[in-house]
Amino acid sequence: MAQEVCGVIAPGKNEPVRVETIVVPDPGPGEAVVKIQACGVCHTDLHYKQGGISDDFPFLLGHEAAGIVESVGEGVTDVAPGDFVILNWRAVCGNCRACLRGRPQYCFNTHNAKQKMTLASTGQELSPALGIGAFADKTLVAAGQCTKVDPTVSPAVAGLLGCGVMAGIGAAINTGNVGRGDTVAVIGCGGVGDAAIAGARLAGAARIIAVDIDDRKLEKALTMGATHTVNSKTSDAVEAIRELTGGFGADVVIEAVGRPETYKQAFYGRDLAGTVVLVGVPTPEMKLELPLLDVFGRGGSLKSSWYGDCLPSRDFPMLIDLHQQGRLDLGAFVTETVQLDEVEKAFERMHGGDVLRSVVVL
Ligand code: APR
Ligand code: ZN
Ligand code: ZN
C-alpha cells in the first residue's frame, strides 16, 4: 500500500520551500522504502530551490540522509527491512565501461528508483534531489542507494557522509591520494573543505594549511586538523602556502570553493609534480585562463573529485567505523539539529556562513 507522509517540497523557482503530504509507493523490483532518521541541509538543496540545477519542479529536497530500511522490492538481497543505512547518489550499475574496468567509483550509469513519488494534493510527480529526496518521513530509492553501516552511530552524523562530508574526505584520501608526511593545503573551509582537512589528517599529512577569507572558518579548521591557517583576504594565499612549505608549495592542494581565482591559487600553491584537486563546483559562466607552459612545466596532476571519488560500499562503513573508534570526528560537522519545517530557516543560516551543517532530525 502506498503511504502518505510529510516531505519538504520546493514548489517553484525561488519560492519558499514547504512541508506537504507526499505519496510514497511500495518498493518495486530493485527498490527500497527507507524511514528517514536524519538528513543534512546541503548547498545543493538550495541550488535546486533556486532553479540552478534543473527546472523539474516540484522537487522533494534532501539527500544527506540516514535511516532504517522499511521494505524492499523484488530481487533485493543486499539490504533488508530493519537495516540501518546511509543513502548515496552513486548506486553503481556494474555494467558500464567504468564498472567493467574495475572503477565503479566512476560509474557512468548510476540509478535511482524507477517509480515516482507524488504530491498527495495534485498527484504531480516529484523530482527527488539527487535521486534521493530525504527531507521526508520516508522516501523511495533504488536499493543500491542504501549502504549498511554500524547501527550504533548517531543518524545525524551518519547522514552527512552521504554527500558533502564524503566529497571532502574523498577529495583528500581518494582523489588527492594524500599520504603520510605529505603537505596539504585546503582552499575554502566550509563543510567540504573541513572534511578534506579531516581526511588529510586521517591519511597522515604532516602539515595541513587551511585557507579561507573568513576568520571564523579558519578557527574551526584548526579544530578539524589544520596545522596552519591563512586568511587570503589579508595575505597572498600562494606566497603564504609556499612560505609554510619550505618555499616550494604543497604536495596536494584541494580547492573547495569552485572559482577560477581560487583554482589558480591551488595551481600555483602546489609544489612541482604535485596534485591539484578541484572539489568545489563551478558555475557555467566561469572560465579559467592559465599559461599552458606553466601547466606543462609544473607537471603533476590536475584532478577533479566527483563525490570524493567514493565507492559507498567501501567508504561509508569504513569511515563510520573510524568515527566510532574516535579516529575521525564526524560529529564536528553537525552545527545544529532542526525540524522538518525549519529547512527554509536553515538555508538562511547556511547563506550567512553561520553553520557547517544543519541536520533535520525526524
Ligand atoms: N577564497 C577562500 N575561501 C573562500 C573564498 C575565496 N575566494 N570564497 C569563499 N570561500 C570560503 C567561504 O568562506 C567558506 O568557508 O569557502 C567556504 C565555502 O564553504 P560553504 O559555503 O560552506 O560550502 P561547502 O558546503 O563547503 O561547499 C564548497 O564544494 O561541493 C562543492 O558545491 C559545493 O562548490 C561548493 C564547494
Ligand atoms: Zn557502472
Ligand atoms: Zn549535498
Side-chain angles (χ1 to χ4, degrees):
M1 270 274 289
Q3 312 181 56
E4 295 201 347
V5 301
C6 290
V8 176
I9 305 300
K13 191 169 173 155
N14 283 322
E15 284 176 42
V17 304
R18 58 176 185 248
V19 177
E20 294 232 13
T21 304
I22 65 168
V23 180
V24 180
D26 280 345
E31 294 176 343
V33 168
V34 178
K35 191 172 185 310
I36 302 299
Q37 293 177 306
C39 182
V41 181
C42 174
H43 287 267
T44 304
D45 295 305
L46 181 59
H47 291 164
Y48 273 112
K49 169 194 150 168
Q50 293 167 335
I53 296 187
S54 88
D55 291 326
D56 298 331
F57 290 99
F59 292 106
L60 173 60
L61 298 181
H63 60 275
E64 301 189 346
I68 306 277
V69 175
E70 183 185 75
S71 54
V72 298
E74 206 188 303
V76 174
T77 53
D78 287 349
V79 287
D83 283 348
F84 177 67
V85 296
I86 299 177
L87 300 183
N88 73 71
W89 38 276
R90 182 169 280 158
V92 300
C93 76
N95 292 311
C96 72
R97 60 197 189 282
C99 285
L100 289 176
R101 299 181 73 194
R103 301 168 184 163
Q105 71 275 24
Y106 301 134
C107 179
F108 299 136
N109 195 20
T110 58
H111 56 283
N112 306 126
K114 294 222 166 50
Q115 298 183 84
K116 292 288 186 184
M117 291 177 277
T118 52
L119 265 185
S121 54
T122 62
Q124 244 179 320
E125 288 189 350
L126 295 167
S127 307
L130 294 176
I132 292 180
F135 290 148
D137 299 311
K138 294 176 187 180
T139 193
L140 175 77
V141 292
Q145 291 181 270
C146 301
T147 311
K148 263 168 80 167
V149 298
D150 179 351
T152 61
V153 67
S154 137
V157 166
L160 295 189
L161 261 195
C163 180
V165 172
M166 184 66 247
I169 295 176
I173 66 175
N174 292 332
T175 320
N177 203 18
V178 171
R180 279 190 306 280
D182 281 349
T183 53
V184 177
V186 176
I187 303 178
C189 302
V192 174
D194 275 350
I197 289 169
R201 169 157 74 176
L202 195 61
R207 197 161 263 221
I208 304 171
I209 304 162
V211 182
D212 204 292
I213 49 177
D214 182 339
D215 281 328
R216 290 175 304 170
K217 301 294 179 138
L218 293 172
E219 284 294 315
K220 178 78 183 174
L222 284 172
T223 70
M224 309 298 283
T227 57
H228 298 79
T229 61
V230 173
N231 186 325
S232 54
K233 213 175 193 171
T234 51
S235 57
D236 184 283
V238 174
E239 269 175 33
I241 294 170
R242 284 196 186 147
E243 249 167 55
L244 290 165
T245 51
F248 302 122
D251 297 310
V252 181
V253 186
I254 296 165
E255 202 284 19
V257 184
R259 302 190 56 83
E261 61 272 24
T262 38
Y263 189 87
K264 279 190 188 168
Q265 291 168 358
F267 182 84
Y268 288 108
R270 156 192 76 133
D271 198 357
L272 291 174
T275 302
V276 173
V277 176
L278 177 63
V279 64
V281 183
T283 54
E285 75 286 355
M286 293 176 179
K287 295 266 190 299
L288 176 69
E289 202 173 311
L290 282 173
L292 193 54
L293 184 59
D294 284 354
V295 176
F296 176 78
R298 305 184 61 80
S301 47
L302 308 176
K303 302 174 86 174
S304 303
S305 187
W306 302 329
Y307 198 1
D309 292 340
C310 78
L311 183 58
S313 59
R314 175 193 64 193
D315 295 337
F316 290 3
M318 179 259 298
L319 292 170
I320 291 296
D321 287 349
L322 291 176
H323 167 72
Q324 293 294 73
Q325 294 164 15
R327 294 157 74 187
L328 173 67
D329 184 10
L330 294 173
F333 292 92
V334 181
T335 313
E336 60 171 7
T337 56
V338 300
Q339 304 294 307
L340 199 57
D341 58 3
E342 294 176 310
V343 171
E344 192 61 52
K345 240 192 284 174
F347 281 154
E348 280 163 32
R349 295 202 56 196
M350 186 169 75
H351 198 68
D354 300 332
V355 295
L356 274 186
R357 277 295 187 271
S358 305
V359 179
V360 174
V361 173
L362 290 119

